[in-house]
Amino acid sequence: MANNINVPTKGILKNEALTKYILKTSAYPREHQQLKGIRDATTEKYPNISSMGIPVDEGQFLSMILKLMKAKKTMEIGVFTGYSLLATALALPEDGHITAIDISREYFDVGLPFIQKAGMEHKINFIESDATKVLTEMSSNDKHKEEFDFVFVDADKTNYMNYHEHLKKLLKIGGVIAYDNTLWYGYLVQEEEEVPEFARASRKEILDLNVKLASDPSMEISQVSIGDGVTLCRRIS
């Protein structure tokens, strides 16, 4: 996404005072120092698109899920400056591992010093590549197919459905995929002509994705109205 586009703030809550209350009372007091460092550095370097990173409360939500699952092997598609990546690394055990895929390393390098200060770099394998290419190779390798406990997807929305077909083959039974932005700034319930031009193609893809996920018999799903909407998909077959 171009840096000259002002990305709306993530958050389904339209009451700004309530959003601030949640952040001030529950989220900010427990935010790791190096996560705050990534958040501040991202806002300084990319003020127009800093909200592409997940909100603090969503990071804590994902962290709790990872700990409850006792996840060890995870994947992240779409890294940006690494806020969700570091939140994941902090939640994993010492021998945990994250395969992180992003088409550009530029953003990741902004957050890398904070990941290093937190002592979490050893858990991360960053792959600078198109995610479809990597997932195709991984899912077609029947002899050495990897299995993941948890996958977080926060990348190009127009490829979410394509990612889903590959990820189902790489996810353990009982494993979880978390798709971010599945309420797409609230644009899903607006008429297309009311939606900003930059958000229209992704809006259509998210609408189609939500229908597809709801009818996927291999998944148990829950769409959570935190951040910009997160859909959890637990593989059951």
Side-chain angles (χ1 to χ4, degrees), residues 20-34:
K20 288 182 178 179
Y21 170 80
I22 292 170
L23 293 173
K24 182 178 179 181
T25 305
S26 303
Y28 290 155
R30 291 179 174 266
E31 184 180 26
H32 191 281
Q33 181 181 359
Q34 302 308 327

Side-chain angles (χ1 to χ4, degrees), residues 8-134:
T9 300
K10 289 185 178 180
I12 296 305
L13 288 174
K14 298 307 178 184
N15 185 318
E16 186 176 351
L18 186 56
T19 300
K20 288 182 178 179
Y21 170 80
I22 292 170
L23 293 173
K24 182 178 179 181
T25 305
S26 303
Y28 290 155
R30 291 179 174 266
E31 184 180 26
H32 191 281
Q33 181 181 359
Q34 302 308 327
L35 284 172
K36 185 178 185 301
I38 291 179
R39 183 161 58 86
D40 291 343
T42 304
T43 300
E44 181 179 349
K45 190 170 180 64
Y46 304 112
N48 293 342
I49 60 170
S50 61
S51 63
M52 283 173 58
I54 65 171
V56 179
D57 55 339
E58 183 181 335
Q60 292 168 350
F61 171 71
L62 295 175
S63 174
M64 184 172 289
I65 289 173
L66 288 161
K67 291 172 182 176
L68 289 170
M69 291 177 63
K70 297 182 179 179
K72 291 182 65 174
K73 189 172 184 178
T74 75
M75 180 190 295
E76 181 159 329
I77 302 174
V79 172
F80 191 42
T81 57
Y83 192 98
S84 53
L85 184 60
L86 179 54
T88 298
L90 289 165
L92 297 183
E94 183 60 24
D95 60 345
H97 183 267
I98 311 165
T99 299
I101 308 168
D102 201 294
I103 200 167
S104 171
R105 189 181 175 95
E106 175 192 342
Y107 297 133
F108 171 66
D109 283 341
V110 173
L112 182 57
F114 303 97
I115 292 171
Q116 292 169 334
K117 288 177 186 176
M120 293 291 121
E121 187 180 12
H122 69 283
K123 296 181 182 180
I124 298 166
N125 175 29
F126 180 83
I127 301 172
E128 184 178 12
S129 177
D130 174 76
T132 300
K133 178 183 177 182
V134 176

